[in-house]
């Protein structure tokens, strides 16, 4: 190979494409290609703005992409087809009460008011929200969790198509590193990847939370440093840091979107799923501590209160129910010691380091109640009660995990980023999980983050586009 060819090859291998990276110009720059960023880009493009979206990963989606793709909404067309009576008032009150009134009522109202329109907007873009898939989210009896079989991936696919159809330029593998401001006004971002500078009349930060940044978790959610993040690697709080460098105000830190996970196996694998089945959880003392059928963020809080790890207890029948497909994973988990086994419940307890009499007595009580179809300990739904009577017995540790963080940049109802002085920072908008104020300390219901991301994204996109003359 000729010397110049080797040099070129070496440059390519070192990823020095940035050498050729260009300065670009547009009307609206969007940082982050998750639910909020794509919604913002589509809305801005629909209003005639030329939009460039930067996504630091090689793929779009962020946390939204790996989520269930569920969206909360009240008074929606889907609910009306399903005959569900719901109201914006009830959704507003639910979100405020779940947030213990630590959240911003104006922001919550803005998201509530748009929720039905946003469900329809997504349906028009191709997301299949249907009456038969309506479900419960959180602890409300009202089915307002709009689900889609394709999950978050379907949502992102529809949003990406809509963005591309509208001429949005999407630069993958391009990380925003710094906001550029002139005379107090944000006029662009510096970046690494397919562009080094992107200028625009407005910048929308939609970089998601910071679950994949252990330092920031330690600083802003110190109670959850040991929580297992279920996240994509791009969620490192960059937008919070970039805006803070310009004096942006933050609020609402401390909590996470609580979930639970089995350690050392992939999220969603057979063994991880086994850890989340509604069977019987006990703590280190061998006692049940929660309704195993409760809403996931509340189970997560209960696990957190037990020190972050609890045990899923099950019997041979549950193992058999995994079927032949799951058997290989099960055998591997047993061989590696991840799953413990005992010929008797006492033997299993010893394996798990739990007092044997305590676990035996919990199981005897649980089985007696399950046989009667009544759980006087937690009033768990009778349909989910199945006695565990077929040895051998098994135990699987289940850890507190999170699907993202709560808290971030303060925005107003126009999605403008607020400075510590209380003034909006001209030209700067934020949307989605990079913002704080929508949630309190506990994640209220599956589908809330998507509802907030789509609403604030569309608001940010519309207002940013309005700056274009
Ligand atoms: P939201 O629900 O608020 O849209 P997501 O987690 O779904 O949040 O999406 C955030 C997206 O932002 C992710 O795809 C992530 O990789 C991307 N991102 C994070 N930091 C940067 C950055 N500095 N530059 C470009 N993209 C970023």
């Amino acid at each position: 190979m000729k010397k110049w060819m080797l040099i070129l090859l070496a440059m390519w291998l070192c990823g020095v494409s940035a050498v050729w990276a260009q300065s670009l110009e547009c009307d609206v720059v969007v940082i982050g290609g998750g639910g909020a960023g794509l919604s913002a880009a589509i809305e801005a493009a629909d209003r005639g703005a030329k939009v460039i979206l930067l996504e630091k990963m090689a793929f779009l989606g962020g946390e939204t992409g790996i989520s269930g793709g569920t969206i909360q909404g009240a008074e929606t067309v889907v609910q009306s087809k399903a005959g569900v009576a719901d109201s914006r008032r009830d959704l507003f009150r639910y979100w405020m009460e779940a947030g213990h009134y630590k959240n911003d009522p104006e922001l919550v109202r803005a998201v509530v008011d748009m929720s039905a329109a946003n469900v329809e907007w997504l349906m028009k873009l191709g997301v299949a929200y249907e009456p038969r898939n309506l479900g419960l989210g959180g602890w409300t009896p009202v089915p307002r969790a709009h689900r889609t079989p394709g999950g978050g991936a379907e949502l992102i696919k529809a949003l990406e198509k809509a963005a591309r159809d509208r001429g949005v330029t999407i630069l993958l593998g391009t990380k925003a590193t710094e906001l550029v401001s002139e005379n107090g006004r944000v006029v662009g971002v510096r970046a690494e990847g397919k562009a080094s500078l992107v200028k625009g009349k407005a910048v929308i930060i939609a970089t998601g939370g910071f679950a994949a940044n252990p330092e920031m978790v330690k600083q802003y959610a110190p109670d959850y440093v040991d929580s297992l993040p279920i996240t994509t690697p791009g969620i490192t709080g960059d937008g919070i840091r970039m805006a803070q460098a310009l004096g942006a105000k933050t609020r609402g830190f401390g909590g996470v979107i609580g979930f639970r996970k089995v350690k050392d196996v992939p999220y969603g694998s057979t063994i991880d799923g086994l850890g989340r089945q509604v069977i019987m959880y006990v703590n280190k003392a061998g006692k049940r501590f929660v309704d195993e059928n409760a809403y996931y963020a509340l189970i997560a809080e209960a696990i957190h209160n037990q020190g972050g790890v609890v045990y899923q207890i099950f019997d041979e029948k549950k193992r058999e129910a995994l079927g032949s497909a799951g058997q290989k994973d099960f055998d591997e988990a047993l061989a590696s010691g991840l799953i413990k086994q005992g010929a008797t419940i006492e033997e299993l307890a010893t394996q798990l380091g739990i007092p044997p009499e305590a676990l035996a007595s919990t199981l005897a009580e649980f089985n007696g109640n399950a046989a009667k179809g009544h759980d006087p300990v937690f009033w768990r739904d009778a349909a989910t009660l199945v006695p565990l009577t077929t040895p051998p017995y098994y135990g699987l540790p289940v850890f507190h995990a999170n699907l993202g963080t709560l808290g971030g940049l303060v925005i107003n109802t126009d999605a403008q980023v607020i400075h510590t002085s209380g003034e909006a920072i001209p030209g700067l908008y934020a949307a989605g999980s990079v913002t704080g104020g929508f949630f309190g300390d506990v994640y209220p219901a599956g589908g809330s983050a998507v509802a907030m991301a789509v609403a604030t994204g569309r608001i940010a996109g519309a207002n940013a586009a309005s700056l274009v003359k």
Side-chain angles (χ1 to χ4, degrees):
M1 206 184 285
K2 293 230 161 46
K3 201 170 161 193
W4 64 267
M5 285 171 87
L6 275 175
I7 292 171
L8 267 186
L9 180 68
M11 284 172 74
W12 180 73
L13 286 174
C14 294
V16 287
S17 55
V19 167
W20 292 286
Q22 351 142 33
S23 290
L24 301 173
E25 234 174 300
C26 64
D27 296 324
V28 175
V29 189
V30 178
I31 314 174
L38 286 166
S39 299
I42 294 166
E43 190 66 39
D46 267 342
R47 287 160 192 259
K50 183 173 179 255
V51 183
I52 296 180
L53 182 147
L54 314 182
E55 167 53 57
K56 79 181 195 189
M57 305 302 289
F59 50 88
L60 293 169
E63 290 278 326
T64 313
I66 58 169
S67 77
T70 302
I71 184 167
Q72 290 273 320
E75 299 182 22
T76 70
V77 62
V78 183
Q79 286 178 317
S80 127
K81 275 191 195 144
V84 172
D86 195 8
S87 69
R88 287 179 298 128
R89 173 192 181 274
D90 287 354
L91 177 55
F92 174 79
R93 288 188 63 88
Y94 178 81
W95 269 335
M96 289 309 297
E97 285 168 8
H100 298 141
Y101 284 88
K102 290 177 180 169
N103 34 357
D104 173 357
E106 288 180 16
L107 191 57
V108 173
R109 193 170 311 116
V111 176
V112 168
D113 285 347
M114 279 182 85
S115 71
N118 286 343
V119 168
E120 277 190 58
W121 186 74
L122 289 170
M123 287 166 71
K124 282 200 188 100
L125 299 184
V127 185
Y129 294 122
E130 287 178 39
R132 65 193 160 102
N133 293 323
L134 265 181
L136 297 176
W139 52 92
T140 163
V142 182
R144 54 170 80 105
H146 295 67
R147 304 171 204 264
T148 178
E154 181 187 337
L155 195 72
I156 292 300
K157 201 172 145 210
L159 290 172
E160 176 180 3
K161 180 173 184 312
R164 292 196 189 276
D165 286 351
R166 286 159 176 77
V168 172
T169 303
I170 297 176
L171 302 180
L172 295 177
T174 304
K175 176 185 173 186
T177 53
E178 192 187 352
L179 297 168
V180 180
S181 66
E182 278 167 15
N183 307 320
R185 181 171 197 92
V186 174
V187 293
V189 297
R190 290 196 194 288
E192 288 166 0
K194 295 188 182 111
S196 53
L197 177 69
V198 186
K199 295 195 86 176
K201 296 187 181 63
V203 173
I204 300 171
I205 304 176
T207 49
F210 52 90
N213 183 335
E215 279 307 308
M216 282 182 79
V217 171
K218 199 163 145 195
Q219 182 180 1
Y220 294 122
D223 286 352
Y224 297 99
V225 281
D226 295 326
S227 174
L228 303 178
I230 299 168
T231 180
T232 68
I235 312 302
T236 49
D238 302 5
I240 294 172
R241 291 301 189 218
M242 283 187 275
Q244 279 177 325
L246 295 186
K249 197 172 167 179
T250 56
R251 73 179 277 184
F253 290 127
V256 294
I257 304 180
F259 210 60
R260 58 198 192 277
K261 192 184 169 299
V262 173
K263 231 182 205 170
D264 301 329
V265 292
Y267 172 54
S269 60
T270 306
I271 303 304
D272 181 45
L274 181 59
R276 274 191 299 275
Q277 278 192 31
V278 182
I279 310 177
M280 185 181 88
Y281 285 142
V282 297
N283 60 16
K284 286 179 180 145
K287 284 191 71 111
R288 286 177 69 213
F289 58 92
V290 74
D291 170 357
E292 294 85 349
N293 194 40
Y295 157 57
Y296 63 77
L298 294 186
I299 294 186
E301 275 308 281
I303 293 175
H304 183 62
N305 293 336
Q306 298 299 329
V309 58
V310 299
Y311 303 93
Q312 177 78 292
I313 306 294
F314 55 102
D315 68 351
E316 180 67 3
K317 269 209 183 120
K318 282 283 171 196
R319 183 194 66 73
E320 282 166 7
L322 292 175
S324 50
Q327 201 51 56
K328 190 173 156 279
D329 292 347
F330 188 91
D331 291 345
E332 269 173 31
L334 201 58
S336 73
L338 183 59
I339 294 176
K340 304 278 191 231
Q341 176 181 346
T344 62
I345 194 69
E346 289 84 356
E347 204 182 300
L348 174 66
T350 308
Q351 293 278 325
L352 293 170
I354 291 174
E357 323 75 61
L359 186 58
S361 128
T362 298
L363 183 71
E365 183 186 30
F366 177 83
N367 283 345
N369 292 331
K372 285 184 243 147
H374 172 54
D375 168 27
V377 185
F378 288 107
W379 274 275
R380 186 168 121 190
D381 179 0
T384 70
L385 295 170
V386 179
L388 305 167
T389 50
T390 313
Y393 289 99
Y394 301 99
L396 172 64
V398 178
F399 289 78
H400 185 279
N402 70 81
L403 298 164
T405 49
L406 305 182
L409 303 174
V410 175
I411 55 169
N412 60 19
T413 50
D414 286 337
Q416 290 177 293
V417 174
I418 304 300
H419 190 269
T420 46
S421 68
E423 297 294 314
I425 300 176
L428 189 60
Y429 298 83
S433 296
V434 73
T435 68
F438 183 79
F439 298 114
D441 39 16
V442 168
Y443 186 67
S448 303
V450 171
M452 189 267 276
V454 173
T456 52
R458 292 189 69 191
I459 294 170
N463 287 307
S466 75
L467 299 180
V468 182
K469 297 281 174 327

